[in-house]
Amino acid sequence: MVSYGVRQGGLISPVLFNVLINVVIYRLRSLQIGCHVNGLFVGCLFYADDVMLLCPSVSGVAIADMLFLKFNPFKSQYLAMGKFASFSLPPMLLDSHPIPWVTSVKYLGVYIFSGRKFSFDITSVKQTFFAACNPYLCSG
């Protein structure tokens, strides 16, 4: 029995999930909470049920309550970028559980690092891709 959300494997579940996510993205954009890159709104990254919220300040984290989203505090992390990334940041709570500040996060195989400038590492993704292609390229 599903108490909230969409039923995994249900025929209409992907459609309902996409409608919900579209509402979340629209709401983020209308509230102007999130980052903008060259005028393009980039307030969140979604891939299936993997969610990454991007906020230019710590206060933007409270958006989950405004959107009626429930995040798992045991799968959540905070990462700081920009001029304050090297400072000691105060602890943050999610549902009364402390959420750690980390120096890197792995999102869809890509490592994103904390620091004054945006930096990332795709080495593991490239290695996995080449390993998957290798049998086809070497057979002949």
Side-chain angles (χ1 to χ4, degrees):
M1 180 174 157
V2 177
S3 59
Y4 59 89
V6 295
R7 183 174 181 216
Q8 188 169 354
L11 291 176
I12 197 167
S13 294
V15 173
L16 293 174
F17 182 78
N18 286 336
V19 168
L20 170 70
I21 294 306
N22 193 48
V23 169
V24 169
I25 294 170
Y26 179 81
R27 183 84 170 128
L28 283 171
R29 187 180 299 145
S30 68
L31 292 170
Q32 290 296 304
I33 295 177
C35 298
H36 290 80
V37 178
N38 292 331
L40 177 68
F41 174 75
V42 189
C44 54
L45 300 174
F46 286 96
Y47 184 80
D49 63 347
D50 288 330
V51 178
M52 181 180 284
L53 293 178
L54 306 170
C55 300
S57 70
V58 173
S59 62
V61 175
I63 191 64
D65 291 335
M66 298 167 105
L67 297 172
F68 304 106
L69 292 176
K70 182 85 168 150
F71 289 104
N72 184 339
F74 303 106
K75 292 184 177 182
S76 299
Q77 300 170 329
Y78 292 118
L79 179 125
M81 272 188 233
K83 59 184 175 183
F84 297 110
S86 59
F87 287 93
S88 177
L89 298 167
M92 305 244 334
L93 298 176
L94 180 61
D95 289 339
S96 73
H97 296 282
I99 305 299
W101 285 96
V102 296
T103 56
S104 68
V105 293
K106 184 178 179 183
Y107 185 72
L108 302 177
V110 175
Y111 287 92
I112 302 170
F113 300 103
S114 176
R116 293 185 60 81
K117 294 186 177 184
F118 178 74
S119 64
F120 61 93
D121 180 16
I122 61 169
T123 304
S124 63
V125 175
K126 287 191 328 187
Q127 288 174 342
T128 302
F129 174 75
F130 289 134
C133 291
N134 199 34
Y136 301 107
L137 297 173
C138 292
S139 65

